[in-house]
Every structure is written in C-alpha cells, then in structure tokens.
Amino acid sequence: MQKTFLDVFEVKGPVQQETETERKDEVLKKEETFEEKLERLFGKNSLEQETEEAEEGETETAPERQRFKIENKEQLFWVMKKYRKIMEEKLENEAVAEKEIERIKNWLEKENEKLQQRLDFFAGLVEEYHRTLLEQDPKKKTLTTPYGSSKLRNLGPELIYDDERLIAWIEANTEEPEKYINIKKTPNKQRLKKDTEVVDDRLLVFKDTGEIVEGIAVLPRPPKFSIEIDVEEPKKERREG
C-alpha cells in the first residue's frame, strides 16, 4: 500500500504534544542533580556568593533570598566536596609559589655569590691600606670617603666559657657563689597537670589532698572545631644540585 503525504509527515495534535512535553519534564526532574536543584532553589553559586559577601563584610541579605544551611547528609557531602576542592586549589597555589620562590632563591644565591667575591676583593684592598695607615698613626681608626667609611677598632680578648667547669669552680672557690651563678625557678607544669584536676570548671586542686592551687586561672573552652581532608599535596620539584 502506497504511503500518503499524511503518513510520511504525521501531524501531532495538541493532546499528544502536551503528553510528550510532560514526559520530557519528568525526565529532566529525575536527572536533576543536587547541585542543579541547589542552584534552582537558591540561585547559581549562592554559597560562593554568600562566602564572598561575608568576607567583604556584607552581612545583610535581601529578604527574598534564602540563606543556605546544611539540613541533611546529602548537603553535608556537597559542602565537604566544595571544601576539599578549595583546599586542593589552595595547596596547588602554595606549591606553585614554593617552586617560584625556590627558583628565585637559587638565582639570588648564584648571582650574589659572584658579587660577594668582588666585594671581598675590594674590601681586602681597603683593609690592607687602612692597616698600613693605622701602624703609622694609631689615631687613624676611621677613614671617610664620599662613598662610605672604613673602621678599625681594637677588640678585647674573647672569653670562651665552659659552664660546667666554671660553675663547679665558683661553688668551690668563692664565698658567695650566688653572685656569679644565675638560678632560674620555673614551675614543673607537666607534673602539675599529672597531680591536679579541674573542679567545677573553675578550680584546680591536688588530687590527693583537694588543696586549691593558686596562680593558675582555669578558663573553660568550647569544643574545638576542625575539618580533616585527605588531600594529596602536589609533588615538589627536585632541586638541581
């Protein structure tokens, strides 16, 4: 049987078109991810926008705008995923900066090593000349030029101390050794922590006697918050020898 024009180009009625539209909407709803749902409800990148506004001090938000809060495990996972991604970016930035810093340090070390050799050479010439003048005139301790000055000063002998032998000698041979030996008293904090306990979040007492310890203030602290992320740090470049 030969196909007609209507068979080839099927004309769809309004009812059939509406049915297909509804099916597409249902498929889209099923395929909608949590992030897409979040953007639909709170606006695109709402969390990032709120973070930026908080950093800039913009605490007031529009009345019609909803503030994102974690209300279930799925949302917690999403926020932790974002946190991890930002942490990875931060570590990557630090790694890039460290490479550049190391590269600049290596360059600076090589360049300044050459310059220091030249400085030492010219300083040696000045010192040799200055010492010659000082031998001729002991008052020539300073030479001035428009570009700087050269100074030579007589130094007293250096004293090298052997503390252990010195303390033993002072204690055995002086009438008042406390004049020459410094004794610094400090509390043994580790032992105090071991032998004491906090009572009523305000008093520190000895465990065995209950005696109140003076000189230590007890300040209650709230639980410490932290986030631990298992992030692999970028590999560092090996420094060329």
Side-chain angles (χ1 to χ4, degrees):
M1 183 176 179
Q2 189 175 3
K3 292 184 179 181
T4 65
F5 176 83
L6 293 177
D7 293 329
V8 177
F9 299 97
E10 181 181 359
V11 179
K12 298 178 181 179
V15 177
Q16 189 175 1
Q17 289 179 351
E18 290 179 1
T19 304
E20 290 187 1
T21 303
E22 291 175 356
R23 289 176 182 173
K24 290 181 180 179
D25 291 340
E26 290 179 1
V27 172
L28 289 175
K29 288 180 181 179
K30 290 180 181 179
E31 294 179 352
E32 185 180 39
T33 64
F34 171 71
E35 294 187 17
E36 292 171 343
K37 182 179 179 182
L38 190 67
E39 291 179 359
R40 178 167 56 81
L41 293 175
F42 300 100
K44 188 175 182 180
N45 297 328
S46 61
L47 187 59
E48 285 82 355
Q49 290 175 4
E50 287 188 9
T51 304
E52 292 176 0
E53 290 175 359
E55 292 176 353
E56 295 172 0
E58 299 178 6
T59 55
E60 296 183 1
T61 56
E64 66 276 4
R65 184 175 174 185
Q66 301 182 55
R67 180 184 177 276
F68 175 77
K69 292 193 300 183
I70 298 175
E71 297 179 351
N72 54 53
K73 186 174 289 187
E74 184 181 15
Q75 294 175 355
L76 173 63
F77 283 11
W78 182 84
V79 171
M80 292 296 287
K81 178 183 176 183
K82 287 287 186 182
Y83 186 94
R84 179 191 178 99
K85 185 176 180 181
I86 295 171
M87 178 62 72
E88 289 174 344
E89 184 178 354
K90 178 175 178 288
L91 292 175
E92 185 179 357
N93 290 344
E94 292 174 354
V96 171
E98 188 174 343
K99 290 177 184 177
E100 292 302 314
I101 291 172
E102 188 68 20
R103 187 175 291 111
I104 292 172
K105 282 184 177 179
N106 292 338
W107 168 83
L108 180 63
E109 184 178 343
K110 291 178 181 178
E111 292 298 315
N112 277 0
E113 185 178 358
K114 301 173 186 176
L115 296 176
Q116 188 60 48
Q117 291 175 356
R118 297 177 63 190
L119 288 173
D120 293 341
F121 171 75
F122 287 109
L125 295 178
V126 175
E127 182 179 359
E128 182 181 20
Y129 173 72
H130 196 165
R131 288 187 181 278
T132 301
L133 293 182
L134 189 64
E135 290 177 359
Q136 299 172 0
D137 184 358
K139 295 182 180 180
K140 292 282 187 180
K141 295 181 178 180
T142 301
L143 301 180
T144 60
T145 74
Y147 311 102
S149 59
S150 170
K151 296 181 180 181
L152 279 173
R153 293 287 183 269
N154 293 326
L155 301 177
E158 181 181 2
L159 301 179
I160 301 175
Y161 295 90
D162 183 337
D163 290 352
E164 188 174 345
R165 290 182 58 193
L166 178 59
I167 290 173
W169 185 91
I170 291 173
E171 290 177 338
N173 296 278
T174 60
E175 295 181 357
E176 298 178 286
E178 62 274 7
K179 285 185 177 181
Y180 310 105
I181 299 175
N182 294 323
I183 300 176
K184 184 179 179 181
K185 296 181 179 180
T186 58
N188 189 336
K189 297 178 181 179
Q190 291 184 345
R191 185 58 187 266
L192 275 170
K193 286 183 179 180
K194 181 180 178 181
D195 294 345
T196 59
E197 61 183 355
V198 176
V199 178
D200 297 333
D201 286 336
R202 61 187 184 88
L203 297 175
L204 187 71
V205 302
F206 278 99
K207 296 177 182 178
D208 53 353
T209 64
E211 184 179 1
I212 298 175
V213 180
E214 296 183 2
I216 299 178
V218 179
L219 300 176
R221 294 182 293 181
K224 183 179 179 181
F225 170 77
S226 64
I227 293 180
E228 295 182 359
I229 300 293
D230 184 16
V231 177
E232 183 177 354
E233 295 190 13
K235 295 182 179 180
K236 298 181 180 179
E237 286 187 350
R238 295 179 61 183
R239 182 176 178 180
E240 297 181 0

